[in-house]
Amino acid sequence: NDDGTIVPLYDKILYYFGELAIGSILNCPNTNGQQWNATQYREVVTAIRNVTDEFGLPPVIWGLDSVHGANYVHGAIVTPQQINLAATFNTTVAYEAGRLASKDTRAAGITWLFSPILGLALQPSWSRVYETFGEDPMVVSEMGAQLIRGIQTPDDDEDAVPRRAAACAKHFVGYSMPRTGHDRSPAWIPRRHLYQYFVQPWRRAIGGSDDEGRVLTVMESYSETDGVPNVANFDATRRLLREELGFEGVLVTDYHEILNLVDWHRVAADGYEAVKLMLRDSSVDMSMVPLEVEDFAQQVRTAVTGSLIVNADEPENISSRYPALPRTIDIGRINESAERVVALKSQLGMFSEKVAIDSPLIETVGRAEDRSLALEMTRQSIVMVENHDTLPISATSSPVKVHVTGPTSN
């Protein structure tokens, strides 16, 4: 409304989350350029939960791009971008940034943060370098691991519902190394470099020693690696992610990426073929589909039932082009992903906890101590880009000690 109050559109909530049984919301709604505060988000979250309870459905999981603080929640304190966090070389800073982003996102009743980015910034022409932890695999691995731990560590306050959130490491894999430097353009990475450099942060994030440190979800990338779009890439999402790295959590697409197989990557003729490619070749569990919700649901049903097939005498592989597509996708493939999504919701306590409009978390959003914390992060992350008589450091009344280290320190 014009006065800033939120009136949930119950007819749409009933239709999408009751009748269609949609199980997730990804990122923020269109609010005419106005950010919702934590209470406004909770009003919608509770309305959706009431509908899913009425229909006997699992709770809906909501994910936000809380990449440097809860930047989609009005009044929340934003923290430095990842490149600045990395400049501190202080893993405690990364942990605290994750904890603060988690707290303020959960204050909005939301349990899923699309953070951190684990790409290596080895392509200086790429427009998203500032979102990464830089170019060093060790720095990215350690800072990313602590940011994940900060996000996923449960709240000590049992009344702070929801008490736990899931991190979503992104973008798997090689997205940060576009050959041309243009965002979303193909990545050409030799296999040896892929494993020696780009895979290392993922190995650290997925192989955490406990529940808080082991990332619960992963987002695949817009790009293609070695000529194959990651959203339908068996080698990347099945063999590498699931088998070699042992990832058991939820894999979500990036925005619109399944349908991008049609109009961006141009390897599928239409949405039905794109969905079949994704289901056959990848281990993706959830589609970040922006608008075509009904179409996507129908495409998945058709992939399983084969109801578009007109001539029953057609051979099993009905496509005349590479890759040949099967007539149907086994229902077991759908069950596999559904089980992982339900397991995630259970890990986050979404079946046992119920978000209310009021919460002790709400009053903590934007508090002074959070502002002081973000300021300290910023101070620690300052780097000298240009020397204006700062160096060399002149001795004052007290001795100046400078520690010089590294392989070229002499």
Side-chain angles (χ1 to χ4, degrees), residues 145-192:
Q146 289 305 312
L147 190 62
I148 289 166
R149 181 174 294 279
I151 290 171
Q152 295 189 166
T153 298
D155 201 303
D156 293 331
D157 185 355
E158 294 186 359
D159 295 325
V161 175
R163 290 188 60 213
R164 192 183 185 197
C168 184
K170 58 187 187 183
H171 306 81
F172 195 84
V173 59
Y175 174 56
S176 61
M177 191 62 178
R179 182 170 181 261
T180 65
H182 295 296
D183 191 35
R184 300 173 63 180
S185 61
W188 289 18
I189 305 173
R191 181 169 292 272
R192 185 185 299 276

Side-chain angles (χ1 to χ4, degrees), residues 141 288 342 359:
S141 298
M288 192 182 292
V342 171
S359 169

Side-chain angles (χ1 to χ4, degrees), residues 150-293:
I151 290 171
Q152 295 189 166
T153 298
D155 201 303
D156 293 331
D157 185 355
E158 294 186 359
D159 295 325
V161 175
R163 290 188 60 213
R164 192 183 185 197
C168 184
K170 58 187 187 183
H171 306 81
F172 195 84
V173 59
Y175 174 56
S176 61
M177 191 62 178
R179 182 170 181 261
T180 65
H182 295 296
D183 191 35
R184 300 173 63 180
S185 61
W188 289 18
I189 305 173
R191 181 169 292 272
R192 185 185 299 276
H193 286 190
L194 183 72
Y195 275 79
Q196 186 167 350
Y197 301 109
F198 291 87
V199 172
Q200 291 311 307
W202 295 98
R203 196 179 301 279
R204 178 76 167 85
I206 292 168
S209 59
D210 52 32
D211 288 342
E212 287 76 29
R214 189 179 304 114
V215 71
L216 292 175
T217 71
V218 164
M219 184 186 297
E220 62 82 38
S221 77
Y222 284 124
S223 62
E224 59 186 58
T225 305
D226 199 21
V228 182
N230 282 320
V231 73
N233 192 325
F234 180 90
D235 193 54
T237 67
R238 281 284 181 189
R239 188 185 60 78
L240 176 55
L241 181 65
R242 299 293 186 183
E243 296 175 12
E244 292 190 24
L245 298 181
F247 180 62
E248 298 178 350
V250 168
L251 176 62
V252 62
T253 74
D254 209 332
Y255 185 82
H256 200 258
E257 187 57 13
I258 294 175
L259 293 180
N260 282 344
L261 291 171
V262 180
D263 51 26
W264 183 267
H265 302 291
R266 301 189 183 279
V267 297
D270 53 33
Y272 291 97
E273 192 165 293
V275 167
K276 272 194 174 182
L277 275 173
M278 178 276 296
L279 290 172
R280 186 194 68 174
D281 293 344
S282 82
S283 67
V284 164
D285 301 308
M286 187 184 295
S287 172
M288 192 182 292
V289 57
L291 298 172
E292 306 88 350
V293 177

Side-chain angles (χ1 to χ4, degrees), residues 276-354:
K276 272 194 174 182
L277 275 173
M278 178 276 296
L279 290 172
R280 186 194 68 174
D281 293 344
S282 82
S283 67
V284 164
D285 301 308
M286 187 184 295
S287 172
M288 192 182 292
V289 57
L291 298 172
E292 306 88 350
V293 177
E294 296 91 342
D295 290 348
F296 177 74
Q298 181 59 41
Q299 288 156 358
V300 172
R301 282 192 292 267
T302 300
V304 173
T305 62
S307 58
L308 279 183
I309 305 303
V310 177
N311 184 358
D313 295 328
E314 289 182 357
E316 181 67 16
N317 289 325
I318 62 173
S319 175
S320 61
R321 303 179 295 103
Y322 178 83
L325 288 172
R327 184 185 302 276
T328 60
I329 300 295
D330 190 277
I331 188 63
R333 172 66 181 86
I334 309 301
N335 292 339
E336 170 193 343
S337 287
E339 288 170 4
R340 284 196 283 255
V341 173
V342 171
L344 172 64
K345 294 177 180 181
S346 179
Q347 288 174 299
L348 297 177
M350 296 182 68
F351 291 96
S352 56
E353 295 179 341
K354 188 168 182 178

Side-chain angles (χ1 to χ4, degrees), residues 87-108:
T88 70
F89 293 95
N90 184 348
T91 56
T92 301
V93 166
Y95 173 85
E96 289 297 331
R99 184 188 62 79
L100 177 55
S102 177
K103 175 185 73 68
D104 287 351
T105 303
R106 288 183 293 106

